[in-house]
Amino acid sequence: MRTLVAAVVFFVMTVLAFGQSGSSLSGVVSDPTGAVIPAASLTLTNSATGAEQTTQADGGGRYNYPSVTPGKYRLTAKHPGFSDVVVNNIELLVSTATTVNVTFEKVGATATTIAVEASAVQVNTQDATLG
């Protein structure tokens, strides 16, 4: 009987310990003047697995990833009219709330398209003579 009670207690403690291993990431998105950017799109990418989570900043420019597996991440923020912001090497620790504020540094083009066209020039290498 004591063995069964000890096993149940051990199991419950293990579940509780693993349940508290999540991390969180939050912050505020703003422009160069400090004004908040509502509706900015944010993508959190796990550097080891490539798994992505996407969210959007609320009306106050705040974003939140409430439950994230600990590890190293990259955060990418996008909003029309601004250049993308990428924050690399964000390390989320076990049971730790991390804050990373994002500031769009400069206005970017809303759409840039570059088209490059080329055609190959044929060179006669079989019977060409030096002239």
Side-chain angles (χ1 to χ4, degrees), residues 17-115:
F18 282 109
Q20 297 175 0
S21 64
S23 301
S24 66
L25 176 66
S26 61
V28 176
V29 182
S30 61
D31 71 8
T33 68
V36 297
I37 306 290
S41 174
L42 296 111
T43 302
L44 186 64
T45 306
N46 184 305
S47 299
T49 66
E52 293 183 345
Q53 297 180 49
T54 301
T55 192
Q56 195 170 36
D58 66 12
R62 294 176 298 271
Y63 73 90
N64 186 32
Y65 291 97
S67 182
V68 182
T69 303
K72 287 201 175 198
Y73 289 85
R74 176 181 69 242
L75 181 66
T76 304
K78 298 180 179 189
H79 190 71
F82 291 94
S83 295
D84 297 354
V85 175
V86 178
V87 182
N88 290 304
N89 297 320
I90 299 170
E91 188 167 1
L92 300 180
L93 304 174
V94 175
S95 300
T96 303
T98 301
T99 301
V100 175
N101 294 322
V102 176
T103 303
F104 287 104
E105 294 296 328
K106 59 183 177 180
V107 176
T110 55
T112 303
T113 304
I114 300 173

